[in-house]
Amino acid sequence: QVQLVESGGGLVQAGGSLRLSCAASGRTFSSLAMGWFRRTPAKERELVAANDWSGRSPYYADSVRGRFTISRDNAKNTVYLQMNSLKPEDTSVYYCAANHFGLIGTSGAQYQYWGQGTQVTVSS
């Protein structure tokens, strides 16, 4: 079992920055692939960014590429999402998720463990 806890959300103005953190416990963190999802207006889960067990070749959605950066610190069992140049359309609840196979997937169904989410609101 893996427990995930997100933090770092809040209210920022358009063009501002936030850094989200996700702390994992209960399993060897370095063996997991980690993803950040957000809810669309239709309540669907959209993959924003992800990295595999090695942290190499990260995935980014087209809508955030060049603005967001995913990173991980295996010594702290933590994955981060640095969000720059935020836009109002980035407003959502952001969820941290883990894939126990250590490989990136673009579907939420490919992730076995989920945090409870952290709210990000970007004002115009």
Side-chain angles (χ1 to χ4, degrees):
Q1 293 294 109
V2 175
Q3 294 80 46
L4 304 174
V5 180
E6 304 98 333
S7 62
L11 173 64
V12 297
Q13 293 182 326
S17 298
L18 284 173
R19 189 178 74 158
L20 306 184
S21 299
C22 174
S25 62
R27 196 181 186 277
T28 302
F29 179 76
S30 61
S31 68
L32 302 172
M34 303 298 298
W36 286 97
F37 288 80
R38 65 189 181 189
R39 291 285 183 180
T40 69
K43 306 300 182 184
E44 298 176 334
R45 290 178 295 189
E46 174 191 32
L47 181 64
V48 176
N51 57 21
D52 67 5
W53 63 272
S54 73
R56 298 181 180 273
S57 300
Y59 168 90
Y60 296 100
D62 289 343
S63 60
V64 307
R65 187 175 294 110
R67 299 188 296 120
F68 291 9
T69 302
I70 188 170
S71 62
R72 63 194 294 159
D73 186 340
N74 287 342
K76 296 183 177 180
N77 291 351
T78 301
V79 64
Y80 305 94
L81 185 66
Q82 179 66 47
M83 305 185 295
N84 298 326
S85 301
L86 283 162
K87 304 174 181 179
E89 48 263 47
D90 295 318
T91 295
S92 185
V93 178
Y94 283 71
Y95 298 89
C96 177
N99 173 282
H100 78 109
F101 295 105
L103 301 175
I104 292 172
T106 57
S107 171
Q110 297 174 273
Y111 294 79
Q112 293 75 43
Y113 309 102
W114 293 82
Q116 294 182 327
T118 185
Q119 177 70 46
V120 172
T121 303
V122 184
S123 62
S124 59

Coordinates of all heavy atoms in Angstrom, one line a residue, residues 16-61:
G16 N 1.6 34.0 -12.2 CA 2.3 33.6 -11.0 C 2.7 32.2 -11.0 O 2.5 31.5 -12.0
S17 N 3.3 31.8 -9.9 CA 3.9 30.4 -9.8 C 3.4 29.7 -8.5 O 3.2 30.4 -7.5 CB 5.4 30.5 -9.8 OG 5.9 31.0 -11.0
L18 N 3.4 28.4 -8.5 CA 3.2 27.6 -7.3 C 4.0 26.3 -7.5 O 4.3 25.9 -8.6 CB 1.7 27.2 -7.2 CG 0.7 28.2 -6.7 CD1 -0.7 27.6 -6.8 CD2 1.0 28.6 -5.3
R19 N 4.4 25.8 -6.4 CA 5.0 24.5 -6.4 C 4.2 23.5 -5.5 O 4.1 23.7 -4.3 CB 6.5 24.5 -5.8 CG 7.2 23.2 -6.1 CD 8.6 23.2 -5.6 NE 8.8 23.2 -4.1 CZ 9.8 22.8 -3.5 NH1 10.9 22.4 -4.2 NH2 9.9 22.8 -2.2
L20 N 3.7 22.4 -6.1 CA 3.0 21.4 -5.5 C 4.0 20.3 -5.0 O 4.9 20.0 -5.7 CB 1.9 20.8 -6.4 CG 0.9 21.8 -7.0 CD1 -0.1 21.0 -7.8 CD2 0.3 22.6 -6.0
S21 N 3.7 19.7 -3.9 CA 4.5 18.6 -3.3 C 3.5 17.4 -3.1 O 2.4 17.6 -2.7 CB 5.2 19.0 -2.1 OG 6.1 20.1 -2.3
C22 N 4.1 16.2 -3.2 CA 3.4 15.0 -2.9 C 4.3 14.1 -2.2 O 5.3 13.7 -2.7 CB 2.9 14.3 -4.2 SG 2.1 12.7 -4.0
A23 N 4.0 13.8 -0.9 CA 4.8 13.0 -0.1 C 4.2 11.6 0.0 O 3.0 11.4 0.2 CB 4.9 13.6 1.4
A24 N 5.0 10.6 -0.3 CA 4.6 9.2 -0.3 C 5.1 8.4 0.9 O 6.2 8.7 1.4 CB 5.0 8.5 -1.6
S25 N 4.4 7.5 1.3 CA 4.8 6.6 2.4 C 4.2 5.2 2.2 O 3.2 5.0 1.4 CB 4.4 7.1 3.8 OG 3.0 7.2 3.9
G26 N 4.8 4.2 2.8 CA 4.2 2.8 2.8 C 4.8 1.9 1.8 O 4.5 0.7 1.8
R27 N 5.7 2.4 0.9 CA 6.3 1.6 -0.2 C 7.6 2.3 -0.6 O 7.7 3.5 -0.4 CB 5.4 1.4 -1.3 CG 5.7 0.2 -2.3 CD 4.8 0.2 -3.4 NE 5.0 -1.0 -4.3 CZ 5.9 -1.0 -5.3 NH1 6.6 0.0 -5.5 NH2 6.0 -2.1 -6.0
T28 N 8.5 1.5 -1.2 CA 9.7 2.1 -1.7 C 9.4 3.1 -2.8 O 8.9 2.7 -3.9 CB 10.6 1.0 -2.3 OG1 10.9 0.0 -1.3 CG2 11.9 1.6 -2.8
F29 N 9.7 4.3 -2.6 CA 9.3 5.4 -3.5 C 10.0 5.3 -4.8 O 9.4 5.6 -5.9 CB 9.5 6.8 -2.8 CG 9.1 7.9 -3.7 CD1 7.8 8.3 -3.9 CD2 10.1 8.7 -4.3 CE1 7.5 9.4 -4.7 CE2 9.8 9.8 -5.1 CZ 8.5 10.1 -5.3
S30 N 11.3 5.0 -4.8 CA 12.1 5.0 -6.0 C 11.6 4.0 -7.1 O 12.0 4.1 -8.2 CB 13.5 4.7 -5.7 OG 13.7 3.5 -5.1
S31 N 10.8 3.0 -6.7 CA 10.3 2.1 -7.7 C 9.0 2.5 -8.3 O 8.5 1.8 -9.3 CB 10.0 0.7 -7.0 OG 9.0 0.8 -6.1
L32 N 8.4 3.6 -7.9 CA 7.1 4.1 -8.4 C 7.3 5.1 -9.6 O 8.2 5.9 -9.6 CB 6.3 4.8 -7.3 CG 6.0 4.0 -6.1 CD1 5.4 4.9 -5.0 CD2 5.1 2.8 -6.4
A33 N 6.4 5.1 -10.5 CA 6.2 6.2 -11.4 C 5.1 7.1 -10.8 O 4.2 6.6 -10.2 CB 5.7 5.7 -12.8
M34 N 5.3 8.4 -10.9 CA 4.5 9.4 -10.3 C 3.8 10.3 -11.3 O 4.5 10.7 -12.3 CB 5.2 10.2 -9.3 CG 5.9 9.4 -8.2 SD 4.8 8.5 -7.2 CE 3.8 9.8 -6.4
G35 N 2.6 10.6 -11.2 CA 1.9 11.5 -12.1 C 1.1 12.5 -11.3 O 0.6 12.3 -10.2
W36 N 0.9 13.7 -12.0 CA 0.0 14.7 -11.5 C -1.2 14.8 -12.5 O -1.0 15.0 -13.7 CB 0.7 16.1 -11.4 CG 1.7 16.2 -10.3 CD1 3.0 16.0 -10.4 CD2 1.4 16.5 -9.0 NE1 3.6 16.2 -9.1 CE2 2.6 16.6 -8.3 CE3 0.2 16.9 -8.3 CZ2 2.7 16.9 -6.9 CZ3 0.3 17.2 -6.9 CH2 1.5 17.2 -6.3
F37 N -2.4 14.7 -11.9 CA -3.6 14.8 -12.6 C -4.4 16.1 -12.2 O -4.2 16.5 -11.1 CB -4.5 13.6 -12.5 CG -4.0 12.4 -13.1 CD1 -3.0 11.6 -12.6 CD2 -4.6 11.9 -14.3 CE1 -2.5 10.5 -13.2 CE2 -4.1 10.8 -15.0 CZ -3.1 10.1 -14.4
R38 N -5.3 16.5 -13.0 CA -6.3 17.5 -12.6 C -7.6 17.2 -13.2 O -7.7 16.5 -14.2 CB -5.8 18.9 -13.0 CG -5.7 19.2 -14.5 CD -5.1 20.5 -14.8 NE -5.0 20.8 -16.2 CZ -4.4 21.8 -16.7 NH1 -3.7 22.7 -15.9 NH2 -4.4 22.0 -18.0
R39 N -8.7 17.7 -12.6 CA -10.0 17.5 -13.1 C -10.4 18.5 -14.1 O -10.2 19.7 -14.0 CB -11.0 17.6 -11.9 CG -10.9 16.5 -10.9 CD -11.5 15.3 -11.4 NE -11.5 14.2 -10.4 CZ -12.0 13.0 -10.6 NH1 -12.5 12.7 -11.8 NH2 -11.9 12.1 -9.6
T40 N -11.0 18.0 -15.2 CA -11.5 18.9 -16.2 C -12.9 19.4 -15.8 O -13.5 18.9 -14.8 CB -11.7 18.1 -17.6 OG1 -12.7 17.2 -17.4 CG2 -10.4 17.5 -18.0
P41 N -13.5 20.4 -16.5 CA -14.8 20.8 -16.1 C -15.9 19.7 -16.1 O -16.9 19.8 -15.4 CB -15.1 21.9 -17.2 CG -13.8 22.5 -17.5 CD -12.9 21.3 -17.5
A42 N -15.6 18.6 -16.9 CA -16.5 17.5 -17.0 C -16.1 16.4 -15.9 O -16.7 15.3 -16.0 CB -16.4 16.8 -18.4
K43 N -15.2 16.8 -15.0 CA -14.8 15.9 -13.9 C -14.0 14.7 -14.3 O -13.8 13.8 -13.6 CB -16.1 15.4 -13.1 CG -17.0 16.5 -12.6 CD -16.2 17.5 -11.7 CE -17.1 18.6 -11.2 NZ -16.4 19.6 -10.4
E44 N -13.5 14.8 -15.6 CA -12.5 13.7 -16.0 C -11.1 14.0 -15.5 O -10.8 15.2 -15.2 CB -12.5 13.7 -17.5 CG -13.9 13.3 -18.2 CD -13.8 13.4 -19.7 OE1 -13.0 14.1 -20.2 OE2 -14.6 12.7 -20.3
R45 N -10.4 13.0 -15.3 CA -9.0 13.1 -14.9 C -8.1 13.3 -16.1 O -8.0 12.4 -17.0 CB -8.6 11.9 -14.1 CG -9.3 11.8 -12.7 CD -8.9 10.6 -11.9 NE -9.3 9.3 -12.6 CZ -9.3 8.1 -12.1 NH1 -8.8 8.0 -10.9 NH2 -9.7 7.1 -12.8
E46 N -7.3 14.4 -16.1 CA -6.4 14.7 -17.1 C -5.0 14.7 -16.6 O -4.7 15.3 -15.6 CB -6.7 16.1 -17.6 CG -5.7 16.7 -18.7 CD -5.9 18.1 -18.9 OE1 -6.3 18.9 -18.0 OE2 -5.6 18.5 -20.1
L47 N -4.1 13.9 -17.2 CA -2.7 13.8 -16.8 C -2.0 15.1 -17.2 O -2.0 15.5 -18.4 CB -2.1 12.6 -17.5 CG -0.6 12.4 -17.1 CD1 -0.4 12.1 -15.6 CD2 0.0 11.3 -17.9
V48 N -1.4 15.7 -16.3 CA -0.7 17.0 -16.5 C 0.8 16.7 -16.7 O 1.4 17.3 -17.6 CB -0.9 17.9 -15.3 CG1 -0.1 19.2 -15.5 CG2 -2.4 18.3 -15.1
A49 N 1.4 15.9 -15.8 CA 2.8 15.6 -15.9 C 3.1 14.3 -15.2 O 2.3 14.0 -14.3 CB 3.6 16.8 -15.3
A50 N 4.2 13.6 -15.6 CA 4.5 12.4 -14.9 C 6.0 12.1 -15.1 O 6.6 12.5 -16.1 CB 3.7 11.2 -15.5
N51 N 6.6 11.3 -14.2 CA 7.9 10.8 -14.5 C 7.9 9.3 -14.0 O 7.1 8.9 -13.1 CB 9.0 11.6 -13.8 CG 8.8 11.8 -12.3 OD1 8.1 11.1 -11.6 ND2 9.5 12.9 -11.8
D52 N 8.8 8.5 -14.6 CA 9.0 7.1 -14.3 C 9.9 7.0 -13.1 O 10.3 8.0 -12.4 CB 9.4 6.3 -15.5 CG 10.9 6.6 -15.9 OD1 11.6 7.4 -15.2 OD2 11.3 6.1 -16.9
W53 N 10.2 5.7 -12.7 CA 11.0 5.5 -11.5 C 12.3 6.2 -11.5 O 12.9 6.5 -10.5 CB 11.2 4.0 -11.4 CG 12.0 3.4 -12.5 CD1 11.5 2.9 -13.7 CD2 13.4 3.2 -12.5 NE1 12.6 2.4 -14.4 CE2 13.7 2.6 -13.8 CE3 14.4 3.5 -11.6 CZ2 15.0 2.3 -14.1 CZ3 15.7 3.2 -12.0 CH2 16.0 2.6 -13.2
S54 N 12.9 6.4 -12.7 CA 14.2 7.0 -12.8 C 14.2 8.5 -12.8 O 15.2 9.2 -12.7 CB 14.9 6.5 -14.1 OG 14.4 7.1 -15.3
G55 N 13.0 9.1 -13.1 CA 12.9 10.6 -13.2 C 13.3 11.1 -14.6 O 13.3 12.3 -14.8
R56 N 13.6 10.2 -15.5 CA 14.1 10.7 -16.8 C 12.9 10.7 -17.8 O 11.9 10.0 -17.6 CB 15.1 9.7 -17.3 CG 16.4 9.7 -16.5 CD 17.5 8.8 -17.1 NE 18.7 8.8 -16.3 CZ 19.7 9.6 -16.5 NH1 19.6 10.6 -17.4 NH2 20.8 9.5 -15.7
S57 N 13.0 11.4 -18.9 CA 12.1 11.5 -19.9 C 10.7 11.8 -19.4 O 9.7 11.0 -19.6 CB 12.1 10.2 -20.8 OG 13.3 10.0 -21.3
P58 N 10.5 12.9 -18.7 CA 9.1 13.2 -18.1 C 8.1 13.5 -19.2 O 8.4 13.9 -20.3 CB 9.4 14.4 -17.2 CG 10.5 15.1 -17.9 CD 11.4 14.0 -18.3
Y59 N 6.8 13.2 -18.9 CA 5.7 13.5 -19.7 C 5.1 14.8 -19.3 O 4.9 15.1 -18.1 CB 4.7 12.4 -19.7 CG 3.4 12.7 -20.3 CD1 3.2 12.4 -21.7 CD2 2.4 13.3 -19.6 CE1 2.0 12.8 -22.3 CE2 1.2 13.6 -20.2 CZ 1.0 13.4 -21.5 OH -0.2 13.7 -22.1
Y60 N 4.7 15.6 -20.3 CA 3.9 16.8 -20.1 C 2.7 16.9 -21.1 O 2.9 16.6 -22.3 CB 4.7 18.1 -20.2 CG 5.8 18.1 -19.2 CD1 7.2 17.8 -19.5 CD2 5.6 18.6 -17.9 CE1 8.2 17.9 -18.6 CE2 6.6 18.6 -16.9 CZ 7.9 18.3 -17.3 OH 8.9 18.4 -16.4
A61 N 1.6 17.3 -20.6 CA 0.5 17.6 -21.4 C 0.8 18.8 -22.3 O 1.6 19.7 -21.9 CB -0.8 17.9 -20.6

